[in-house]
Amino acid sequence: MSFLELANKRYSVRNYKNTPVAKETINRCIEAARLAPSACNSQPWRFIVVDDSELIKDVAKAAFEGILNFNHFAFKAPVLVLIVSERQKPSAIFGSIVKGKNFSQMDIGITAEHFCLQATEEGLGTCMLGWFNESKVKKRLSIPKFKRVELIVSVGFSADDNFPPKNRKGTDEIVSYNHYC
Ligand SMILES: Cc1cc2nc3c(=O)[nH]c(=O)nc-3n(C[C@H](O)[C@H](O)[C@H](O)COP(=O)(O)O)c2cc1C
């Protein structure tokens, strides 16, 4: 598969089979995430893989139950991967302050996408989830209060045969050469 084919194939899967996912497969996705670039090579991330079926229910309950529970589908995912942001190198913190840019969150986004693309290559479906009850999740998994759980990635084999067409802006809307317009 070419990289473009892989990028096209990845989409947010919101309906999972209850087929378990092998630890080795998850480990290869983590390896791809580990290789991601980051500002000043800070690698400001930690991954918590939740693959125990009882614990998934607990974590999903903590994360996704509530009034706006549109991520309820994640209850059925056989694996949830939490991405916690960790301390950056002083140079990256300095750069973030001076340049007014959140390098840490950029790093988290990149590593998350590395994870998801490897998962796609493995025939798995993923969905990055940013909308969840962070404090309840931290409590359930004894993650220190001062840490941030930036994303939860649901992982599993898709229960759907067809995937939705890509809904993206056209190239002419997002690119210009040699000037901004
Ligand atoms: C940072 C981030 C947060 C997201 N949070 C959610 C979420 O809470 N719930 C959800 O269903 N999808 C979430 N998504 C998935 C996006 O909705 C999805 O990537 C986008 O609509 C494009 O569709 P595709 O991934 O199928 O190509 C999130 C994606 C990103 C990158």
Side-chain angles (χ1 to χ4, degrees):
M1 193 170 11
S2 72
F3 180 75
L4 264 183
E5 283 167 335
L6 181 66
N8 252 305
K9 205 174 163 198
R10 188 220 54 80
Y11 74 102
S12 294
V13 169
R14 299 185 176 90
N15 187 15
Y16 298 100
K17 289 181 184 164
N18 50 25
T19 316
V21 180
K23 272 203 165 54
E24 303 78 62
T25 313
I26 293 294
N27 288 342
R28 281 192 295 274
C29 299
I30 297 286
E31 177 60 4
R34 192 180 71 89
L35 295 172
S38 56
C40 300
N41 203 19
S42 279
Q43 305 162 66
W45 45 61
R46 187 160 188 91
F47 302 87
I48 304 176
V49 179
V50 182
D51 65 351
D52 176 283
S53 55
E54 285 308 307
L55 188 58
I56 286 185
K57 275 185 217 145
D58 274 12
V59 171
K61 205 169 170 204
F64 308 117
E65 267 192 359
I67 314 164
L68 293 168
N69 65 350
F70 49 80
N71 285 332
H72 217 254
F73 66 87
F75 272 84
K76 278 182 68 188
V79 181
L80 294 176
V81 178
L82 282 69
I83 309 182
V84 179
S85 53
E86 296 294 333
R87 184 184 280 278
Q88 295 169 281
K89 286 184 181 169
S91 51
I93 297 172
F94 179 74
S96 291
I97 294 167
V98 172
K99 293 297 166 193
K101 292 182 179 171
N102 194 329
F103 290 139
S104 171
Q105 294 204 338
M106 292 184 200
D107 297 342
I108 295 290
I110 296 167
T111 195
E113 181 64 353
H114 270 217
F115 181 98
C116 292
L117 288 170
Q118 180 62 30
T120 305
E121 218 263 335
E122 302 277 354
L124 286 166
T126 56
C127 189
M128 289 188 210
L129 302 163
W131 186 279
F132 56 89
N133 190 324
E134 191 183 346
S135 56
K136 280 194 180 172
V137 168
K138 286 197 284 195
K139 209 168 173 190
R140 180 61 191 84
L141 290 171
S142 306
I143 299 166
K145 267 190 187 155
F146 63 90
K147 294 282 179 193
R148 296 300 312 264
V149 181
E150 306 287 2
L151 283 173
I152 297 179
V153 183
S154 55
V155 188
F157 293 97
S158 176
D160 301 320
D161 294 332
N162 304 317
F163 55 90
K166 283 270 175 246
N167 176 14
R168 295 294 189 266
K169 291 178 184 175
T171 310
D172 53 341
E173 283 184 83
I174 61 164
V175 67
S176 55
Y177 280 78
N178 306 317
H179 69 297
Y180 179 90
C181 66

